[in-house]
């Protein structure tokens, strides 16, 4: 299994008596953006939560490179994963700088400052660094949430409807910018959306979920352009 960022194999999950997903398989190579596309409620976030080790009530296997997330019946978190939530999940009582710095407590002060300063610059947040979260626009909050995740230098990022709370103009700008950033950093990314247009513009590959399973998996060209 060479050069595989994320691999989901024969994944199934039920909540109570309700089967949500059945025998889902997909893979993301290093540097690829794969979008999970499907209607609201089909289980997209549930897959992301499973990859982030926030859900373990599934069957099948999830690998991050060669590392199996549930090995010998034991759950193992993987520190290389960054998870960007739809509602950003920022800490309201911390300012911008403190939010970005939050996960870096294990690093020494100089390294912490170096990383945070770099991200503040890169994300055009230097002038906002002392602001509280509620003082920021939606687009700025989203940038803080992405900067906070990138601060711990993940290899894999999971993006749950990252554009949902942005207006149309900012959404288009952010799509271009985020795609470029993922490619530049060589991350493996899984993006979740119900928006076909978004999937088409962002993805190297798309997994279309329908009737509890991956109905199609391939490049946008293959899925939407060829007869
Ligand atoms: P999507 O992200 O595609 O909108 P979700 O993964 O959030 O869908 O949810 C899929 C389905 O599973 C929904 O019907 C949701 O209500 C249900 N669900 C999600 N999490 C739980 C849970 N912890 N307990 C029970 N049902 C859940
Ligand atoms: P504001 O910061 O008030 O939202 P703009 O959206 O016009 O203002 O963006 C200001 C700067 O931030 C520009 O230099 C632009 O390239 C950059 N920028 C815009 N959107 C993003 C984004 N999603 N992430 C990072 N930088 C962005």
């Amino acid at each position: 299994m060479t050069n595989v960022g994320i691999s989901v194999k024969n994944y199934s999950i039920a909540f109570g008596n309700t089967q949500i997903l059945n025998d889902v398989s997909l893979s993301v190579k290093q540097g690829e953006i794969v979008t999970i596309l499907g209607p609201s409620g089909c289980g997209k976030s549930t897959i992301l939560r499973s990859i982030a080790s926030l859900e373990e009530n599934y069957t099948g296997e999830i690998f991050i490179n060669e590392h199996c997330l549930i090995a010998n019946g034991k759950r193992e978190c993987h520190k290389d994963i960054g998870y960007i939530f739809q509602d950003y999940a920022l800490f309201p009582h911390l300012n911008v700088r403190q939010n970005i710095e939050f996960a870096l407590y294990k690093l020494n002060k100089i390294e912490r400052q170096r990383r945070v300063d770099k991200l503040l610059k890169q994300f055009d947040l230097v002038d906002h660094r002392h602001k509280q979260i509620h003082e920021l626009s939606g687009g700025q909050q989203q940038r803080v949430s992405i900067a906070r995740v990138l601060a711990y230098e993940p290899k894999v990022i999971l993006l749950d409807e990252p554009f949902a709370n942005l207006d149309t103009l900012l959404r288009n700008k952010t799509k271009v910018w985020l795609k470029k950033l993922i490619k530049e950093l060589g991350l493996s990314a899984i993006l979740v959306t119900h928006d076909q247009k978004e999937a088409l513009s962002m993805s190297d590959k798309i997994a279309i979920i329908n009737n509890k399973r991956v109905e199609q998996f391939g490049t946008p060209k293959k899925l939407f352009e060829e007869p």
Side-chain angles (χ1 to χ4, degrees):
M1 216 177 51
T2 55
N3 199 28
V4 171
I6 310 162
S7 171
V8 175
K9 291 184 180 169
N10 309 112
Y11 169 95
S12 299
I13 190 161
F15 291 115
N17 292 326
T18 312
Q19 191 72 32
I20 303 293
L21 289 164
N22 215 347
D23 205 24
V24 164
S25 296
L26 56 92
S27 60
V28 187
K29 293 199 186 88
Q30 242 160 46
E32 254 183 6
I33 304 175
V34 170
T35 297
I36 301 176
L37 174 66
S40 184
C42 75
K44 302 183 296 296
S45 302
T46 303
I47 301 179
L48 286 198
R49 279 204 310 277
S50 303
I51 297 170
S53 295
L54 301 173
E55 191 81 65
E56 58 179 357
N57 192 21
Y58 60 84
T59 60
E61 287 174 317
I62 299 174
F63 291 89
I64 308 296
N65 285 332
E66 275 84 40
H67 182 98
C68 186
L69 290 187
I70 296 186
N72 308 315
K74 273 195 357 211
R75 183 174 74 166
E76 298 182 27
C77 296
H78 203 276
K79 64 177 173 14
D80 287 339
I81 295 178
Y83 195 166
I84 293 153
F85 297 91
Q86 181 175 346
D87 62 1
Y88 311 145
L90 295 167
F91 302 112
H93 57 289
L94 300 179
N95 69 24
V96 168
R97 180 172 192 108
Q98 291 163 336
N99 261 279
I100 296 174
E101 199 171 352
F102 184 80
L104 304 180
Y105 61 92
K106 282 191 180 149
L107 302 178
N108 69 46
K109 196 168 174 195
I110 291 170
E111 174 62 13
R112 235 166 38 217
Q113 281 178 349
R114 190 191 68 77
R115 283 204 202 177
V116 176
D117 286 340
K118 191 172 146 211
L119 286 160
L120 285 169
K121 267 204 206 112
Q122 192 178 7
F123 284 71
D124 205 22
L125 290 166
V126 175
D127 294 342
H128 305 299
R129 65 190 183 282
H130 298 306
K131 286 191 184 162
Q132 298 297 308
I133 298 308
H134 68 86
E135 297 176 90
L136 304 177
S137 71
Q140 291 162 349
Q141 289 190 24
Q142 194 220 33
R143 268 142 56 199
V144 177
S145 76
I146 297 175
R148 184 180 60 175
V149 162
L150 294 184
Y152 54 89
E153 301 183 343
K155 305 278 192 303
V156 163
I157 59 168
L158 309 174
L159 299 140
D160 195 341
E161 304 260 9
F163 313 114
N165 296 317
L166 303 179
D167 60 44
T168 314
L169 187 70
L170 192 58
R171 182 177 302 171
N172 290 336
K173 228 164 112 178
T174 305
K175 275 193 214 166
V176 174
W177 165 80
L178 186 59
K179 189 170 176 176
K180 192 163 149 250
L181 183 75
I182 290 168
K183 296 293 173 186
E184 275 169 11
L185 295 174
L187 302 173
S188 307
I190 299 187
L191 173 81
V192 151
T193 185
H194 59 268
D195 181 341
Q196 181 176 316
K197 236 175 81 194
E198 194 169 301
L200 280 172
S201 64
M202 288 297 291
S203 322
D204 295 300
K205 289 198 188 115
I206 302 175
I208 299 176
I209 306 258
N210 207 9
N211 296 322
K212 310 185 201 315
R213 60 190 190 88
V214 176
E215 205 155 65
Q216 296 185 70
F217 183 55
T219 61
K221 199 168 153 55
K222 187 167 158 244
L223 297 189
F224 293 103
E225 284 173 24
E226 284 167 11

